Amino acid sequence: MKYYNSIIDTIGDTPLVRLNKVNKGIKGTILAKVEYFNPGQSVKDRIAIRMIEDAEKAGLIKPGGTIIEGTSGNTGFGLALAAIGKGYKCIFTMADKQSKEKIDILRAVGAEVVVCPTNVEPDDPRSYYSVARRLNREIPNSLYPNQYDNLSNTNAHYDTTGPEVWRDTDGRITHFAAGVGTGGTICGTAKYLKERNPDVVTIGLDTYGSVFKKYKETGIFDEGEIYPYLTEGIGEDILPKNVDFSLIDLFIKVTDKDAAIMSRRLSREEGLFVGWSCGTAVHGALEYARDYLKEDDVMVILLPDHGTRYLAKIYNDAWMKDHGFLESREFATARDIIHKRNNKAGLTTIGKSVTVSQAIQVLNRQGISQIPITDETGHIVGSLTDSTILNKLIDDPTIKDVPVGEVMDKPFKFVGLDNTVDVLSSLIDRENKALLVRDENEETHIITQADLLAAISI
Ligand SMILES: Cc1ncc(COP(=O)(O)O)c(C=O)c1O
């Protein structure tokens, strides 16, 4: 019989898959090490089990204990799987820029997740680093593996990823490329490969908004390099102990947009349905390969995780267009719609103290199906739509005499003037029947489904 004693034993031994399309015109053999074959669908399974087992050996956690970690999701999932096997509880702290799927996935495997603000300093007591440390101090028999500074992270890759890459390329590897977050992946793997062959070139992929590249090139930790970015899992505003700059020959920075577009190409052209930072790794590595790779060279690019975690982001066309990452067809914009309408009368609203029957009269008189509701100061505080008010009246006819403020729905969403019809239509649904937009003169206009239909059928 061939079977594994537990899911933990299936970690590692991931395949190398040759890239065939996205590297067209580039010399050499380019291989992807596809880490979504791990049971937690990411490279982080490797370090999760190693950090726990090293801590057990050092007596840092006893049976029944709690594992606490600040994680962008993948390490959490690996830790959660390992914890299930070993009988530990898990609490994870995450930055609120992380995808909702990552949070849901952690909760699905029984972990508690504490969501913390993204745009605060690492030392701020609200940051996900600080909250993890505080919980570790407060909860007895808890372990804070700290993937950033815990060298079990690098050692896991030195003992598994490095030897696998060396074995599977028959020692012919010439270049190794990986995104850098904690640094464990690239430094552990690079250490092993360079011990076998010091000529192996290691390329660290970094994001705009992160400190690594400048630090490698100048030795300066430049706070000016730090600003918010969207790619998840790589780039840092700290220097983790797992980053050993002597093992990384050079860094290349990749934009959020180029990374997202390359991830989508990997899915559609190579059948590799991968995460966002995989696009970073391949885009940056190919940029280098285009200039430097020779026919006999063998480059391995490590792809850390799976695409399912990014379905609502880089694999969602509306999201991509909203962020300016996809050129949309020549659709009209919100600006075009309101200019064409030449709405001199401005926006019709009603006050929240008006009764439901008076509001219905306004809808009828104006020939409109929905209307924003304002408070005494003129601020929009809610909305009323003919179909929802009809349903409410059927349930309870007496509401016709109550103020609309008591039965109104949420205010319609405000959108930007440059959003195109395809994006606007994705924002109109059963809950949100219309959209609001402010023009250049701060006048508010409403955009309904009828406006979108008119704009698209021109
Ligand atoms: C999606 C993703 N890509 C890349 C990395 C970078 O790997 P490492 O932390 O080993 O540098 C991480 C790490 O958090 C990650 O979650």
Side-chain angles (χ1 to χ4, degrees), residues 43-44 72 74-75 102 147 153 157 179-186 232-234 277-278 304-305 310:
V43 65
K44 296 290 181 170
S72 68
N74 289 330
T75 306
K102 283 187 173 177
Q147 59 168 333
N153 174 351
H157 290 289
V180 186
T182 66
T185 304
I186 191 157
E232 298 171 27
I234 59 166
S277 68
C278 302
D305 68 354
Y310 308 89

Side-chain angles (χ1 to χ4, degrees), residues 10-28:
T10 68
I11 296 170
D13 257 328
T14 53
L16 289 180
V17 179
R18 195 181 69 193
L19 297 184
N20 298 304
K21 304 266 175 54
V22 296
N23 53 329
K24 221 174 170 162
I26 298 175
K27 294 197 182 97

Side-chain angles (χ1 to χ4, degrees), residues 41-44 47 70-75 98 102 128 147-148 153-154 157 178-188 205 212 231-236 240 242-243 275-278 280-281 302-306 309-310:
Q41 296 180 318
S42 95
V43 65
K44 296 290 181 170
I47 70 162
T71 164
S72 68
N74 289 330
T75 306
Q98 304 298 336
K102 283 187 173 177
Y128 74 99
Q147 59 168 333
Y148 295 93
N153 174 351
T154 294
H157 290 289
V180 186
T182 66
T185 304
I186 191 157
C187 294
L205 288 317
F212 291 141
T231 315
E232 298 171 27
I234 59 166
E236 287 302 337
N242 278 297
V243 183
W276 198 343
S277 68
C278 302
T280 311
L302 186 132
L303 305 188
D305 68 354
H306 196 255
R309 295 176 193 174
Y310 308 89

Side-chain angles (χ1 to χ4, degrees), residues 353-424:
S353 54
V354 163
T355 64
V356 168
S357 58
Q358 286 169 326
I360 292 169
Q361 283 170 27
V362 175
L363 291 182
N364 286 338
R365 223 175 19 244
Q366 303 264 344
I368 54 179
S369 301
Q370 54 276 307
I371 195 162
I373 297 171
T374 53
D375 65 9
E376 302 74 16
T377 62
H379 280 117
I380 293 172
V381 290
S383 66
L384 193 78
T385 307
D386 54 6
S387 55
T388 49
I389 200 64
L390 175 63
N391 286 335
K392 285 179 187 168
L393 278 165
I394 288 169
D395 286 346
D396 177 7
T398 64
I399 63 161
K400 69 182 192 331
D401 298 321
V402 308
V404 283
E406 288 178 25
V407 296
M408 66 190 181
D409 296 315
K410 283 186 304 196
F412 300 130
K413 284 182 196 158
F414 269 95
V415 294
L417 269 176
D418 290 319
N419 280 306
T420 44
V421 168
D422 50 333
V423 175
L424 300 175

